[in-house]
């Protein structure tokens, strides 16, 4: 069994963990760092009347892509090493053509996908996630995505516990010194409601604040559900977004047993999107409600394996890929 791992050269510990697990189960893994294409990695994609040749050449090895039985779609950064010194329009065209080439190749492989690009991209739509979660019977927070300041004021006025603001997409902004400024979830203050002009240029999502007893992370691989909990309220800097203190609290996660009816609803959500893998965030409230926040179809898991509760997630991923 040959597994193609689609990632980039700066990916984290997840990659060697899964590669070791694949090899321990008798499979073979090939790492495709997409940021090295087309500058360092080469592809030959040939289709003739009666034959085809699909070959990937990297510094480490050469792979006949017809041997690939499974694809782990992990991360993608196609064309990121194309020099910034290129004329901007030419660079944009080069990146676009490189992306189309790789995406077309991945779509053409006769393999098992964890998961396909099409399914991953559809599942990333947060509004659709909330709509389907609600229809399945999961509890969701009231939220408003808008660029209308008046709608924000009206919505926040209805939130008895207050409201938070967040973005639908994950990104960082870099200052003049190149330092990363991640956009985290933040509470909406009264003075913020008087300064909403920025919505004219960028919409935001506003959500009712949900009281937290615990924050939960359910990592789903196939039919296996690994759930961990963290007491984010024990750290004043993590109360609105545990990621602010992710490294500080990295060893504070504990294994957690979800009620069976919640587990089944999460699996039903995964089946709706056709996903074999997903990282789901939930809140356990003081009155014992489980509130669904989102599912990340390519979410991180390595810290839950490298540190307590030490879940065997990479083994589960490898098993699914090798079994296909």
């Amino acid at each position: 069994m040959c597994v193609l791992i689609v990632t980039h050269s700066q990916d984290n510990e997840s990659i060697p963990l899964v590669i070791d697990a694949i090899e321990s189960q008798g499979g073979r893994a090939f790492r495709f760092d997409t940021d090295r294409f087309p500058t360092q990695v080469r592809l030959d994609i040939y289709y003739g009347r009666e034959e085809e040749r699909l070959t990937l050449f990297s510094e480490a090895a050469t792979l006949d892509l017809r041997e690939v039985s499974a694809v782990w779609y992990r991360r993608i950064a196609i064309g990121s090493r194309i020099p910034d010194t290129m004329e901007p329009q030419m660079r944009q065209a080069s990146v676009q053509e490189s992306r189309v080439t790789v995406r077309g190749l991945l779509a053409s492989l006769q393999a098992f996908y964890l998961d396909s690009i099409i399914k991953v991209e559809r599942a990333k739509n947060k509004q659709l996630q909330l709509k389907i979660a609600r229809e399945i019977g999961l509890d969701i927070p009231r939220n408003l995505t808008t660029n209308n300041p008046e709608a924000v004021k009206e919505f926040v006025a209805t939130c008895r516990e207050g409201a938070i603001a967040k973005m639908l997409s994950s990104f960082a902004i870099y200052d003049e010194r190149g330092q990363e400024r991640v956009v985290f979830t933040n509470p909406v203050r009264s003075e913020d409601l008087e300064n909403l002009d920025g919505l004219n240029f960028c919409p935001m999502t506003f959500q009712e604040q949900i009281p937290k007893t615990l924050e939960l992370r359910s990592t789903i691989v196939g039919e296996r559900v690994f759930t961990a909990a963290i007491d984010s309220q024990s750290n004043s800097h993590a109360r609105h977004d545990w990621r602010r203190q992710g490294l500080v609290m990295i060893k504070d996660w504990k294994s957690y047993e979800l009620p069976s009816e919640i587990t089944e609803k999460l699996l039903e959500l995964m089946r709706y999107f056709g996903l074999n893998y997903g990282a789901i965030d939930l809140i356990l409230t003081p009155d014992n409600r489980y509130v669904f926040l989102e599912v990340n179809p390519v979410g991180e898991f390595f810290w839950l394996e490298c540190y307590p509760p030490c879940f065997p997630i990479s083994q589960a991923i490898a098993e699914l890929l090798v079994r296909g």
Side-chain angles (χ1 to χ4, degrees):
M1 305 294 287
C2 179
V3 178
L4 179 66
I5 300 176
V6 181
T7 183
H8 58 69
S9 57
Q10 300 304 310
D11 207 344
N12 58 38
E13 296 94 323
S14 303
I15 304 303
L17 283 172
V18 172
I19 289 176
D20 289 346
I22 289 170
E23 292 175 350
S24 72
Q25 296 181 32
R28 179 164 62 101
F30 190 100
R31 177 172 178 160
F32 177 16
D33 288 324
T34 56
D35 58 317
R36 299 180 184 275
F37 181 79
T39 53
Q40 294 163 283
V41 171
R42 295 185 179 181
L43 280 172
D44 286 352
I45 306 168
Y46 171 80
Y47 289 100
R49 291 186 179 86
E50 297 180 359
E51 66 171 327
E52 64 183 43
R53 292 193 303 273
L54 310 173
T55 312
L56 190 156
F57 305 88
S58 75
E59 298 169 350
T62 298
L63 175 65
D64 183 346
L65 289 158
R66 294 172 300 176
E67 299 176 0
V68 172
S69 55
V71 176
W72 183 28
Y73 178 69
R74 162 75 184 167
R75 295 283 183 265
I76 204 158
I78 300 166
S80 62
R81 295 196 180 196
I82 296 174
D84 292 333
T85 53
M86 283 183 68
E87 194 277 325
Q89 291 187 75
M90 293 296 294
R91 186 180 190 282
Q92 182 179 0
S94 297
V95 172
Q96 176 64 20
E97 194 66 12
S98 299
R99 288 174 177 169
V100 171
T101 298
V102 173
R103 286 177 178 265
L105 168 70
L106 295 176
S108 68
L109 297 180
Q110 300 298 306
F112 168 79
Y113 287 85
L114 185 70
D115 283 301
S116 73
I117 295 177
I118 293 175
K119 291 178 180 178
V120 166
E121 291 302 319
R122 182 168 183 262
K124 283 182 177 180
N125 291 295
K126 302 294 176 59
Q127 295 100 325
L128 179 59
Q129 290 181 17
L130 291 173
K131 173 182 171 63
I132 301 305
R134 183 189 63 193
E135 292 177 356
I136 287 172
L138 287 165
D139 198 345
I140 64 170
R142 294 189 305 120
N143 73 93
L144 169 72
T145 300
T146 185
N147 63 337
N148 181 355
E150 294 307 313
V152 175
K153 294 175 183 178
E154 292 176 7
F155 174 76
V156 172
T158 68
C159 298
R160 291 185 301 173
E161 300 286 343
I164 58 173
K166 60 183 183 179
M167 310 302 291
L168 292 178
S169 56
S170 298
F171 61 89
I173 295 174
Y174 296 86
D175 62 21
E176 62 277 2
R177 292 176 294 177
Q179 293 184 323
E180 184 182 54
R181 305 296 185 188
V182 178
V183 180
F184 290 111
T185 299
N186 291 290
V188 178
R189 303 166 300 178
S190 57
E191 55 264 37
D192 295 329
L193 298 177
E194 304 303 320
N195 186 27
L196 295 171
D197 293 342
L199 293 177
N200 291 329
F201 303 100
C202 181
M204 288 192 73
T205 296
F206 300 86
Q207 179 181 294
E208 66 174 339
Q209 190 145 273
I210 304 295
K212 302 174 182 177
T213 296
L214 295 171
E215 292 199 61
L216 307 174
R217 178 86 160 194
S218 288
T219 305
I220 298 180
V221 186
E223 295 291 314
R224 299 180 68 179
V225 181
F226 304 92
T227 300
I230 192 165
D231 180 8
S232 59
Q233 306 308 287
S234 64
N235 186 316
S236 60
H237 299 292
R239 289 175 181 170
H240 299 291
D241 193 331
W242 63 261
R243 296 174 301 169
R244 286 183 183 274
Q245 297 293 300
L247 290 177
V248 174
M249 305 180 74
I250 199 167
K251 297 181 180 180
D252 295 339
W253 291 81
K254 294 178 172 56
S255 180
Y256 187 89
E257 188 73 25
L258 283 173
S260 58
E261 62 269 22
I262 299 298
T263 297
E264 181 50 42
K265 288 176 181 177
L266 296 183
L267 290 171
E268 187 176 347
L269 181 74
M270 296 288 285
R271 287 192 288 268
Y272 173 86
F273 285 110
L275 295 175
N276 293 287
Y277 177 90
I280 297 176
D281 292 324
L282 306 105
I283 291 173
L284 174 63
T285 68
D287 57 350
N288 288 319
R289 292 188 298 127
Y290 291 88
V291 181
F292 169 86
L293 297 180
E294 65 177 342
V295 53
N296 187 334
V298 288
E300 292 293 358
F301 69 86
F302 76 91
W303 83 92
L304 296 174
E305 178 160 345
C306 296
Y307 303 99
C310 302
F311 290 141
I313 297 174
S314 61
Q315 290 289 335
I317 290 173
E319 181 181 332
L320 205 55
L321 290 167
V322 171
R323 192 178 65 210

